[in-house]
């Protein structure tokens, strides 16, 4: 399969990741098993999921500063994915290293795919929330309303992302408890909150 064909297939995997994230992760983990090579997603799926996550968060970040003009909107479109991406990047090694120390058999690529599927799902949810933020930004243009709406959106998407990651972890290793995955999500939330504060994402 050439690169263009692999890219088209990988782009279609985004929809699959949103609908059935566990199955995508299971197909990737089974890629080395005889008879599963053709069903496994291409390695390009990692880049596609990452780009999807960045674009979704950037699009939502753009709407967070609609009241401030083009310059602040573009800056917010950079800061939102930068803050979220930094939090996941810093915390990801801990997920793999501590999970392995606790007896997990997942390799790093499968752990990375589980994280990317989760952030890609979250980015799609943020993209779907753009009309909500847009509506309230126009209908009720006050700092308190903007903060409330964006806080609710981020909290709601965060809960959905936590559910996706825990489902994927359970599908990959059903016999192991998900306690550490939950603790790791809290860690990501704390680090992400620090970066959002540092970059002034919620300075609305």
């Amino acid at each position: 399969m050439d690169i263009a064909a692999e890219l088209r297939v990988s782009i279609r995997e985004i929809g699959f990741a949103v609908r059935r994230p566990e199955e995508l992760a299971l197909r990737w983990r089974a890629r080395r098993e005889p008879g599963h090579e053709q069903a496994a997603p291409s390695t390009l799926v990692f880049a596609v999921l990452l780009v999807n996550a960045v674009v979704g968060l950037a699009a939502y970040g753009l709407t967070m500063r609609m009241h401030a003009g083009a310059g602040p909107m573009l800056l917010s479109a950079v800061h939102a994915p930068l803050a979220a991406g930094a939090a996941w990047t810093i915390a990801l090694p801990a997920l793999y290293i501590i999970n392995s120390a606790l007896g997990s058999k997942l390799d790093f690529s499968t752990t990375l795919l589980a994280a990317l599927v989760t952030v890609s799902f979250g980015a799609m949810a943020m993209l779907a929330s753009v009309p909500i933020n847009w509506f309230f930004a126009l209908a009720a243009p006050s700092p308190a309303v903007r903060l409330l709406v964006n806080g609710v959106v981020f909290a709601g998407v965060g809960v959905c992302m936590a559910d996706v990651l825990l489902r994927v972890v359970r599908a990959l290793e059903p016999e192991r408890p998900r306690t550490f995955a939950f603790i790791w999500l809290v860690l990501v939330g704390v680090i992400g909150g620090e970066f959002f504060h540092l970059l002034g994402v919620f300075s609305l």
Side-chain angles (χ1 to χ4, degrees), residues 121-148:
F121 181 95
M124 294 298 286
M126 297 298 288
L127 195 58
S129 301
V130 165
I132 298 173
N133 194 33
W134 197 335
F135 171 79
F136 281 101
L138 297 176
S142 79
V145 172
R146 285 194 293 269
L147 185 60
L148 176 62

Side-chain angles (χ1 to χ4, degrees), residues 3-204:
I3 296 296
E6 283 191 30
L7 183 59
R8 287 194 295 271
V9 171
S10 297
I11 291 173
R12 287 199 294 270
E13 295 283 13
I14 293 176
F16 194 87
V18 171
R19 297 191 306 274
R20 295 189 290 277
E22 306 98 319
E23 292 185 31
L24 181 64
L26 287 169
R27 282 167 47 214
W28 173 259
R29 189 183 63 175
R31 69 195 183 282
R32 294 196 180 103
E33 297 177 6
H36 291 80
E37 297 87 351
Q38 296 301 319
S42 164
T43 53
L44 280 176
V45 76
F46 288 83
V48 170
L49 289 171
L50 179 60
V51 170
N52 180 64
V54 171
V55 170
L57 278 167
Y60 186 86
L62 200 67
T63 67
M64 293 180 73
R65 294 288 181 85
M66 288 179 59
H67 61 285
M73 286 174 68
L74 291 174
L75 193 61
S76 183
V78 173
H79 283 171
L82 181 61
W88 280 82
T89 301
I90 290 172
L92 183 61
L95 178 63
Y96 176 67
I97 294 169
I98 299 179
N99 243 358
S100 297
L102 293 175
S104 173
K105 302 301 181 184
L106 298 181
D107 60 15
F108 182 75
S109 65
T110 304
T111 304
L112 177 60
L113 183 64
L116 283 175
V117 164
T118 303
V119 296
S120 184
F121 181 95
M124 294 298 286
M126 297 298 288
L127 195 58
S129 301
V130 165
I132 298 173
N133 194 33
W134 197 335
F135 171 79
F136 281 101
L138 297 176
S142 79
V145 172
R146 285 194 293 269
L147 185 60
L148 176 62
V149 170
N150 284 283
V152 169
V153 168
F154 272 88
V157 171
V159 170
C160 293
M161 290 173 66
D163 176 66
V164 169
L165 181 64
L166 293 175
R167 280 163 46 201
V168 171
V169 169
R170 180 174 59 188
L172 289 169
E173 296 187 303
E175 73 286 351
R176 297 189 68 246
R178 293 175 292 164
T179 307
F180 175 69
F182 180 79
I183 295 172
W184 182 77
L185 285 168
V186 174
L187 174 65
V188 173
V190 171
I191 296 174
E194 291 290 336
F195 275 106
F196 278 107
H197 176 71
L198 180 65
L199 295 176
V201 175
F202 283 98
S203 299
L204 305 173

